[in-house]
Coordinates of all heavy atoms in Angstrom, one line a residue:
M87 N 14.8 -3.0 4.5 CA 16.3 -3.1 4.7 C 16.8 -4.5 4.4 O 17.9 -4.7 3.9 CB 16.6 -2.7 6.2 CG 16.8 -1.2 6.3 SD 16.5 -0.6 8.0 CE 17.6 -1.5 9.0
L88 N 16.0 -5.5 4.6 CA 16.4 -6.9 4.4 C 16.0 -7.3 3.0 O 16.4 -8.5 2.6 CB 15.7 -7.8 5.4 CG 16.1 -7.5 6.9 CD1 15.2 -8.4 7.8 CD2 17.5 -7.9 7.1
D89 N 15.3 -6.5 2.2 CA 14.8 -6.9 0.9 C 16.0 -6.9 -0.1 O 16.7 -5.8 -0.2 CB 13.7 -6.0 0.5 CG 12.8 -6.6 -0.6 OD1 13.5 -7.1 -1.6 OD2 11.6 -6.6 -0.5
S90 N 16.1 -7.9 -0.9 CA 17.2 -7.9 -1.9 C 16.9 -6.9 -3.0 O 17.9 -6.5 -3.7 CB 17.4 -9.3 -2.5 OG 16.2 -9.7 -3.1
E91 N 15.7 -6.5 -3.1 CA 15.4 -5.5 -4.1 C 15.0 -4.1 -3.5 O 14.1 -3.5 -3.9 CB 14.2 -6.0 -5.0 CG 14.6 -7.2 -5.8 CD 13.6 -7.6 -6.8 OE1 13.3 -6.9 -7.7 OE2 13.0 -8.7 -6.6
M92 N 15.8 -3.8 -2.4 CA 15.4 -2.5 -1.7 C 15.6 -1.3 -2.5 O 15.0 -0.3 -2.1 CB 16.2 -2.5 -0.4 CG 17.7 -2.2 -0.6 SD 18.6 -2.1 1.0 CE 17.9 -0.5 1.6
L93 N 16.3 -1.3 -3.6 CA 16.5 -0.1 -4.3 C 15.3 0.2 -5.2 O 15.1 1.3 -5.7 CB 17.8 -0.2 -5.2 CG 19.1 -0.3 -4.4 CD1 20.3 -0.4 -5.3 CD2 19.2 1.0 -3.5
F94 N 14.4 -0.8 -5.4 CA 13.2 -0.6 -6.2 C 12.1 -0.2 -5.2 O 12.0 -0.8 -4.1 CB 12.9 -1.8 -7.0 CG 13.9 -2.1 -8.1 CD1 15.0 -2.9 -7.8 CD2 13.8 -1.5 -9.4 CE1 16.0 -3.2 -8.8 CE2 14.8 -1.8 -10.4 CZ 15.9 -2.6 -10.0
A95 N 11.1 0.6 -5.7 CA 10.0 1.0 -4.9 C 9.1 -0.2 -4.7 O 8.4 -0.3 -3.6 CB 9.3 2.2 -5.5
G96 N 9.1 -1.1 -5.6 CA 8.2 -2.3 -5.4 C 8.7 -3.4 -6.3 O 9.6 -3.2 -7.2
H97 N 8.2 -4.6 -6.1 CA 8.5 -5.7 -7.0 C 7.4 -6.7 -7.0 O 6.6 -6.7 -6.0 CB 9.8 -6.4 -6.6 CG 10.0 -6.8 -5.2 ND1 9.4 -7.9 -4.7 CD2 10.6 -6.2 -4.1 CE1 9.6 -8.0 -3.4 NE2 10.4 -6.9 -3.0
A98 N 7.3 -7.5 -8.0 CA 6.2 -8.5 -8.1 C 6.7 -9.8 -8.7 O 7.6 -9.7 -9.6 CB 5.0 -7.9 -9.0
D99 N 6.1 -10.8 -8.3 CA 6.4 -12.1 -8.9 C 5.2 -12.7 -9.6 O 4.2 -13.1 -9.0 CB 6.8 -13.1 -7.8 CG 7.3 -14.5 -8.3 OD1 6.9 -14.8 -9.4 OD2 8.0 -15.2 -7.5
P100 N 5.2 -12.7 -10.9 CA 4.0 -13.1 -11.7 C 3.7 -14.6 -11.4 O 2.5 -15.0 -11.6 CB 4.4 -13.0 -13.2 CG 5.7 -12.1 -13.2 CD 6.3 -12.3 -11.8
K101 N 4.7 -15.4 -11.0 CA 4.4 -16.8 -10.7 C 3.5 -17.0 -9.4 O 2.6 -17.8 -9.4 CB 5.7 -17.6 -10.6 CG 6.4 -17.8 -11.9 CD 7.4 -18.9 -11.8 CE 8.7 -18.6 -11.3 NZ 9.5 -17.6 -12.0
T102 N 3.9 -16.2 -8.4 CA 3.1 -16.4 -7.1 C 2.1 -15.3 -6.9 O 1.2 -15.4 -6.0 CB 4.1 -16.3 -5.9 OG1 4.7 -15.0 -5.9 CG2 5.2 -17.3 -6.0
G103 N 2.2 -14.2 -7.7 CA 1.3 -13.1 -7.5 C 1.6 -12.2 -6.4 O 0.9 -11.2 -6.0
E104 N 2.8 -12.4 -5.8 CA 3.2 -11.6 -4.6 C 3.7 -10.3 -5.1 O 4.6 -10.2 -5.9 CB 4.2 -12.3 -3.8 CG 3.5 -13.3 -2.9 CD 4.5 -14.2 -2.2 OE1 5.7 -13.9 -2.2 OE2 4.1 -15.3 -1.7
I105 N 3.2 -9.2 -4.4 CA 3.7 -7.8 -4.7 C 4.2 -7.3 -3.4 O 3.6 -7.3 -2.4 CB 2.5 -6.9 -5.2 CG1 2.0 -7.4 -6.6 CG2 3.0 -5.5 -5.3 CD1 0.8 -6.6 -7.0
G106 N 5.5 -6.8 -3.5 CA 6.1 -6.2 -2.3 C 6.2 -4.7 -2.5 O 6.8 -4.3 -3.6
I107 N 5.6 -3.9 -1.7 CA 5.8 -2.4 -1.8 C 6.7 -2.0 -0.7 O 6.4 -2.2 0.5 CB 4.3 -1.8 -1.7 CG1 3.5 -2.3 -3.0 CG2 4.5 -0.3 -1.8 CD1 2.2 -1.6 -3.1
Q108 N 7.8 -1.3 -1.1 CA 8.8 -0.9 -0.1 C 8.3 0.2 0.8 O 7.5 1.0 0.4 CB 10.0 -0.5 -0.8 CG 10.7 -1.5 -1.7 CD 11.2 -2.8 -1.0 OE1 10.8 -3.1 0.1 NE2 12.1 -3.4 -1.6
H109 N 8.9 0.3 1.9 CA 8.7 1.4 2.8 C 9.2 2.7 2.1 O 10.3 2.6 1.6 CB 9.4 1.2 4.1 CG 9.2 2.2 5.2 ND1 8.0 2.2 6.0 CD2 9.8 3.3 5.6 CE1 8.1 3.3 6.8 NE2 9.1 3.9 6.5
P110 N 8.6 3.9 2.2 CA 7.3 4.2 2.8 C 6.2 4.3 1.8 O 5.2 5.1 2.0 CB 7.6 5.5 3.4 CG 8.5 6.2 2.3 CD 9.3 5.1 1.7
W111 N 6.2 3.5 0.7 CA 5.3 3.8 -0.5 C 3.9 3.5 -0.2 O 3.0 4.1 -0.7 CB 5.8 3.1 -1.7 CG 7.0 3.7 -2.3 CD1 8.3 3.5 -2.2 CD2 6.9 4.9 -3.2 NE1 9.0 4.4 -2.9 CE2 8.2 5.2 -3.5 CE3 5.9 5.7 -3.7 CZ2 8.6 6.4 -4.3 CZ3 6.2 6.8 -4.5 CH2 7.5 7.1 -4.8
C112 N 3.6 2.5 0.7 CA 2.2 2.3 1.1 C 1.6 3.5 1.8 O 0.4 3.9 1.6 CB 2.0 1.0 2.0 SG 1.9 -0.5 1.0
G113 N 2.4 4.1 2.6 CA 2.0 5.3 3.3 C 1.7 6.4 2.3 O 0.8 7.2 2.5
T114 N 2.5 6.5 1.3 CA 2.3 7.6 0.2 C 1.0 7.3 -0.5 O 0.3 8.2 -0.8 CB 3.5 7.5 -0.8 OG1 4.8 7.5 0.0 CG2 3.5 8.7 -1.7
L115 N 0.7 6.0 -0.7 CA -0.5 5.7 -1.4 C -1.7 6.0 -0.5 O -2.8 6.5 -1.0 CB -0.5 4.1 -1.8 CG -1.6 3.6 -2.7 CD1 -1.8 4.5 -3.9 CD2 -1.4 2.2 -3.0
I116 N -1.6 5.8 0.7 CA -2.7 6.1 1.7 C -2.9 7.6 1.7 O -4.0 8.1 1.6 CB -2.4 5.6 3.1 CG1 -2.4 4.1 3.2 CG2 -3.3 6.2 4.2 CD1 -1.9 3.5 4.5
A117 N -1.8 8.4 1.7 CA -1.9 9.8 1.6 C -2.6 10.3 0.3 O -3.5 11.2 0.3 CB -0.5 10.4 1.7
Y118 N -2.2 9.6 -0.8 CA -2.9 10.0 -2.1 C -4.4 9.7 -2.0 O -5.2 10.6 -2.4 CB -2.3 9.1 -3.2 CG -3.2 9.1 -4.4 CD1 -3.3 10.2 -5.2 CD2 -3.8 7.9 -4.9 CE1 -4.2 10.2 -6.3 CE2 -4.6 7.9 -6.0 CZ -4.8 9.0 -6.7 OH -5.6 9.0 -7.8
L119 N -4.8 8.6 -1.4 CA -6.2 8.2 -1.4 C -7.0 9.1 -0.4 O -8.2 9.3 -0.5 CB -6.4 6.8 -1.0 CG -5.9 5.8 -2.1 CD1 -5.9 4.3 -1.6 CD2 -6.6 5.9 -3.4
N120 N -6.3 9.7 0.5 CA -6.9 10.7 1.4 C -7.2 12.0 0.8 O -8.1 12.7 1.2 CB -6.0 10.9 2.6 CG -6.1 9.8 3.6 OD1 -7.0 9.0 3.7 ND2 -5.1 9.6 4.5
H121 N -6.4 12.4 -0.2 CA -6.7 13.7 -0.9 C -6.3 13.6 -2.3 O -5.4 14.4 -2.7 CB -6.0 14.8 -0.1 CG -4.5 14.6 0.1 ND1 -3.9 14.6 1.3 CD2 -3.5 14.3 -0.8 CE1 -2.6 14.3 1.2 NE2 -2.4 14.2 0.0
P122 N -6.9 12.8 -3.1 CA -6.5 12.7 -4.5 C -6.7 14.0 -5.3 O -6.0 14.1 -6.3 CB -7.5 11.6 -5.1 CG -8.7 11.6 -4.2 CD -8.1 12.0 -2.8
D123 N -7.5 14.9 -4.9 CA -7.7 16.2 -5.6 C -6.5 17.0 -5.5 O -6.4 18.0 -6.3 CB -9.0 16.9 -5.0 CG -8.9 17.0 -3.5 OD1 -8.4 16.1 -2.9 OD2 -9.4 18.1 -3.0
R124 N -5.6 16.8 -4.6 CA -4.4 17.6 -4.5 C -3.2 16.7 -4.4 O -2.3 16.8 -3.5 CB -4.4 18.6 -3.4 CG -4.9 18.2 -2.1 CD -5.1 19.3 -1.1 NE -5.7 18.8 0.1 CZ -5.0 18.3 1.2 NH1 -3.7 18.3 1.2 NH2 -5.7 17.8 2.2
A125 N -3.1 15.6 -5.3 CA -2.1 14.7 -5.3 C -0.7 15.3 -5.6 O -0.6 16.0 -6.6 CB -2.4 13.5 -6.3
S126 N 0.3 14.9 -4.9 CA 1.7 15.4 -5.2 C 2.3 14.5 -6.2 O 1.7 13.4 -6.6 CB 2.5 15.3 -3.9 OG 2.7 14.0 -3.5
H127 N 3.4 14.9 -6.7 CA 4.2 14.2 -7.7 C 4.4 12.7 -7.2 O 4.2 11.8 -7.9 CB 5.5 14.9 -8.0 CG 6.3 14.4 -9.0 ND1 6.1 14.8 -10.3 CD2 7.4 13.6 -9.0 CE1 7.0 14.1 -11.1 NE2 7.8 13.5 -10.3
E128 N 4.9 12.7 -6.0 CA 5.2 11.4 -5.3 C 3.9 10.5 -5.2 O 3.9 9.3 -5.4 CB 5.8 11.5 -4.0 CG 7.2 12.0 -4.0 CD 8.1 11.2 -3.2 OE1 7.8 10.9 -2.1 OE2 9.1 10.7 -3.7
E129 N 2.8 11.2 -4.8 CA 1.6 10.4 -4.6 C 1.1 9.8 -5.9 O 0.6 8.7 -5.9 CB 0.5 11.3 -3.9 CG 0.9 11.5 -2.4 CD 0.2 12.7 -1.8 OE1 -0.7 13.3 -2.4 OE2 0.5 13.0 -0.6
L130 N 1.3 10.6 -7.0 CA 0.8 10.0 -8.3 C 1.7 8.8 -8.6 O 1.3 7.8 -9.2 CB 1.1 11.1 -9.4 CG 0.1 12.3 -9.4 CD1 0.5 13.3 -10.5 CD2 -1.4 11.8 -9.6
A131 N 3.0 8.9 -8.3 CA 3.9 7.8 -8.5 C 3.5 6.6 -7.7 O 3.7 5.5 -8.2 CB 5.4 8.2 -8.2
S132 N 3.0 6.8 -6.5 CA 2.5 5.6 -5.7 C 1.3 4.9 -6.3 O 1.2 3.7 -6.3 CB 2.2 6.1 -4.3 OG 1.0 6.8 -4.2
L133 N 0.4 5.7 -7.0 CA -0.7 5.1 -7.7 C -0.2 4.2 -8.8 O -0.5 3.1 -9.0 CB -1.6 6.2 -8.2 CG -2.6 5.7 -9.3 CD1 -3.7 4.8 -8.6 CD2 -3.4 6.9 -9.9
N134 N 0.8 4.8 -9.6 CA 1.4 4.1 -10.7 C 2.2 2.9 -10.3 O 2.1 1.8 -11.0 CB 2.2 5.0 -11.6 CG 2.8 4.3 -12.8 OD1 2.1 4.1 -13.7 ND2 4.0 3.9 -12.7
L135 N 2.8 3.0 -9.1 CA 3.6 1.8 -8.6 C 2.6 0.7 -8.4 O 2.9 -0.5 -8.8 CB 4.3 2.2 -7.3 CG 4.9 1.1 -6.5 CD1 6.1 0.5 -7.2 CD2 5.4 1.7 -5.1
F136 N 1.5 0.9 -7.8 CA 0.5 -0.1 -7.5 C 0.0 -0.7 -8.9 O -0.1 -1.9 -9.0 CB -0.7 0.5 -6.8 CG -1.9 -0.3 -6.7 CD1 -1.8 -1.5 -5.9 CD2 -3.0 0.0 -7.4 CE1 -3.0 -2.3 -5.8 CE2 -4.1 -0.9 -7.3 CZ -4.1 -2.0 -6.6
T137 N -0.3 0.2 -9.8 CA -0.8 -0.4 -11.1 C 0.3 -1.1 -11.9 O 0.1 -2.2 -12.4 CB -1.3 0.8 -12.0 OG1 -1.9 1.8 -11.2 CG2 -2.2 0.3 -13.1
H138 N 1.6 -0.6 -11.8 CA 2.7 -1.2 -12.5 C 2.9 -2.6 -11.9 O 3.0 -3.6 -12.7 CB 3.9 -0.3 -12.2 CG 5.2 -0.8 -12.9 ND1 5.7 -0.3 -14.0 CD2 6.0 -1.9 -12.5 CE1 6.9 -1.0 -14.3 NE2 7.0 -2.0 -13.4
E139 N 2.9 -2.8 -10.6 CA 3.2 -4.1 -10.1 C 2.0 -5.1 -10.4 O 2.2 -6.3 -10.6 CB 3.4 -4.0 -8.6 CG 4.6 -3.1 -8.1 CD 5.9 -3.5 -8.8 OE1 6.1 -4.6 -9.3 OE2 6.8 -2.6 -8.8
S140 N 0.8 -4.5 -10.5 CA -0.3 -5.3 -10.8 C -0.2 -5.9 -12.3 O -0.6 -7.0 -12.5 CB -1.6 -4.5 -10.7 OG -1.8 -4.0 -9.4
M141 N 0.4 -5.1 -13.1 CA 0.6 -5.5 -14.5 C 1.7 -6.6 -14.6 O 1.6 -7.5 -15.4 CB 1.1 -4.3 -15.4 CG -0.1 -3.3 -15.6 SD -1.5 -4.0 -16.3 CE -2.6 -4.1 -14.9
H142 N 2.7 -6.6 -13.7 CA 3.6 -7.7 -13.6 C 2.9 -9.0 -13.2 O 3.1 -10.0 -13.8 CB 4.7 -7.4 -12.6 CG 5.8 -6.5 -13.1 ND1 6.4 -6.7 -14.3 CD2 6.4 -5.5 -12.5 CE1 7.3 -5.8 -14.5 NE2 7.4 -5.0 -13.4
V143 N 1.9 -8.9 -12.3 CA 1.2 -10.1 -11.9 C 0.3 -10.5 -13.0 O 0.1 -11.8 -13.2 CB 0.3 -9.8 -10.6 CG1 -0.6 -10.9 -10.3 CG2 1.2 -9.5 -9.4
R144 N -0.1 -9.6 -13.8 CA -0.9 -10.0 -15.0 C -0.1 -10.8 -16.0 O -0.7 -11.5 -16.8 CB -1.5 -8.7 -15.6 CG -2.4 -8.8 -16.8 CD -3.1 -7.5 -17.1 NE -3.7 -7.5 -18.4 CZ -3.1 -7.1 -19.6 NH1 -1.9 -6.7 -19.6 NH2 -3.8 -7.2 -20.7
G145 N 1.2 -10.7 -15.9 CA 2.1 -11.5 -16.7 C 3.1 -10.8 -17.5 O 3.9 -11.5 -18.2
E146 N 3.2 -9.5 -17.5 CA 4.2 -8.8 -18.3 C 5.5 -8.7 -17.5 O 5.4 -8.3 -16.3 CB 3.6 -7.4 -18.7 CG 4.5 -6.7 -19.7 CD 4.9 -7.5 -21.0 OE1 4.0 -7.8 -21.7 OE2 6.1 -7.8 -21.1
L147 N 6.6 -8.9 -18.2 CA 7.9 -8.8 -17.5 C 8.8 -7.6 -18.0 O 9.5 -7.0 -17.3 CB 8.7 -10.1 -17.6 CG 8.1 -11.2 -16.8 CD1 8.9 -12.6 -17.1 CD2 8.2 -11.0 -15.3
N148 N 8.6 -7.3 -19.3 CA 9.3 -6.2 -19.9 C 8.9 -4.9 -19.2 O 7.7 -4.6 -19.1 CB 9.0 -6.2 -21.4 CG 9.7 -5.0 -22.0 OD1 9.2 -3.9 -21.9 ND2 10.8 -5.2 -22.8
E149 N 9.9 -4.2 -18.7 CA 9.5 -3.0 -17.9 C 8.9 -1.9 -18.7 O 8.0 -1.2 -18.2 CB 10.8 -2.4 -17.2 CG 11.4 -3.3 -16.1 CD 10.4 -3.5 -15.0 OE1 9.3 -2.9 -14.9 OE2 10.7 -4.4 -14.0
A150 N 9.3 -1.7 -19.9 CA 8.7 -0.6 -20.7 C 7.2 -0.9 -21.0 O 6.3 -0.1 -20.9 CB 9.5 -0.3 -22.0
L151 N 7.0 -2.2 -21.4 CA 5.6 -2.6 -21.7 C 4.7 -2.5 -20.4 O 3.6 -2.1 -20.5 CB 5.6 -4.0 -22.3 CG 6.1 -4.1 -23.8 CD1 6.2 -5.6 -24.1 CD2 5.1 -3.5 -24.7
T152 N 5.3 -3.1 -19.3 CA 4.6 -3.0 -18.0 C 4.2 -1.6 -17.7 O 3.1 -1.3 -17.3 CB 5.5 -3.6 -16.9 OG1 5.9 -4.9 -17.3 CG2 4.7 -3.7 -15.6
E153 N 5.2 -0.7 -17.8 CA 4.9 0.7 -17.4 C 3.8 1.3 -18.3 O 3.0 2.1 -17.8 CB 6.2 1.5 -17.5 CG 6.1 2.9 -17.2 CD 5.9 3.2 -15.7 OE1 5.7 2.3 -14.9 OE2 5.8 4.4 -15.3
C154 N 3.9 1.0 -19.6 CA 2.9 1.5 -20.5 C 1.5 0.9 -20.2 O 0.5 1.7 -20.3 CB 3.3 1.3 -22.0 SG 2.3 2.3 -23.1
E155 N 1.4 -0.3 -19.9 CA 0.1 -0.9 -19.5 C -0.4 -0.2 -18.3 O -1.6 0.1 -18.1 CB 0.3 -2.4 -19.2 CG 0.6 -3.2 -20.5 CD 0.9 -4.7 -20.2 OE1 0.9 -5.1 -19.0 OE2 1.2 -5.4 -21.1
A156 N 0.5 0.1 -17.3 CA 0.1 0.8 -16.1 C -0.4 2.2 -16.4 O -1.4 2.7 -15.9 CB 1.3 0.9 -15.1
V157 N 0.3 2.9 -17.3 CA 0.0 4.3 -17.7 C -1.5 4.3 -18.2 O -2.3 5.2 -17.8 CB 1.0 4.8 -18.7 CG1 0.4 6.0 -19.6 CG2 2.2 5.2 -18.1
Q158 N -1.8 3.3 -19.0 CA -3.1 3.3 -19.6 C -4.2 2.9 -18.6 O -5.4 3.1 -18.9 CB -3.1 2.3 -20.8 CG -2.3 2.8 -22.0 CD -2.1 1.8 -23.1 OE1 -3.0 1.6 -23.8 NE2 -0.9 1.2 -23.1
R159 N -3.8 2.2 -17.5 CA -4.8 1.7 -16.6 C -4.8 2.5 -15.2 O -5.6 2.2 -14.3 CB -4.5 0.3 -16.2 CG -4.9 -0.7 -17.3 CD -4.4 -2.1 -17.1 NE -4.8 -3.0 -18.1 CZ -4.2 -3.1 -19.3 NH1 -3.1 -2.3 -19.6 NH2 -4.6 -4.0 -20.2
N160 N -4.0 3.6 -15.1 CA -4.0 4.3 -13.9 C -5.4 5.0 -13.6 O -5.8 5.1 -12.4 CB -2.9 5.4 -13.9 CG -1.5 4.8 -13.5 OD1 -1.5 3.8 -12.8 ND2 -0.5 5.5 -14.0
Y161 N -6.1 5.4 -14.6 CA -7.4 5.9 -14.5 C -8.3 4.8 -13.8 O -9.0 5.0 -12.9 CB -8.0 6.4 -15.8 CG -9.4 6.8 -15.9 CD1 -9.9 7.7 -15.0 CD2 -10.2 6.3 -16.9 CE1 -11.3 8.0 -15.0 CE2 -11.6 6.6 -17.0 CZ -12.1 7.5 -16.0 OH -13.4 7.9 -16.1
R162 N -8.3 3.6 -14.5 CA -9.1 2.5 -13.9 C -8.7 2.2 -12.5 O -9.5 2.0 -11.6 CB -8.9 1.2 -14.8 CG -9.7 0.1 -14.5 CD -9.3 -1.2 -15.2 NE -9.5 -1.0 -16.7 CZ -9.2 -2.0 -17.6 NH1 -8.6 -3.1 -17.2 NH2 -9.4 -1.8 -18.9

Side-chain angles (χ1 to χ4, degrees):
M87 277 156 55
L88 297 172
D89 197 314
S90 59
E91 295 187 65
M92 70 177 289
L93 294 178
F94 295 90
H97 51 80
D99 184 340
K101 286 199 277 299
T102 62
E104 281 172 15
I105 294 175
I107 296 182
Q108 304 290 27
H109 185 81
W111 284 97
C112 275
T114 312
L115 186 55
I116 290 172
Y118 163 67
L119 295 174
N120 282 338
H121 52 239
D123 52 324
R124 46 189 174 88
S126 69
H127 188 81
E128 287 235 310
E129 287 162 6
L130 291 176
S132 73
L133 167 68
N134 181 75
L135 169 65
F136 168 71
T137 320
H138 178 105
E139 301 307 339
S140 303
M141 291 303 101
H142 279 315
V143 171
R144 185 169 166 265
E146 187 54 62
L147 289 173
N148 176 283
E149 291 298 355
L151 285 169
T152 304
E153 180 71 357
C154 192
E155 289 172 4
V157 159
Q158 293 171 76
R159 285 170 181 79
N160 278 334
Y161 171 50
R162 183 188 298 178

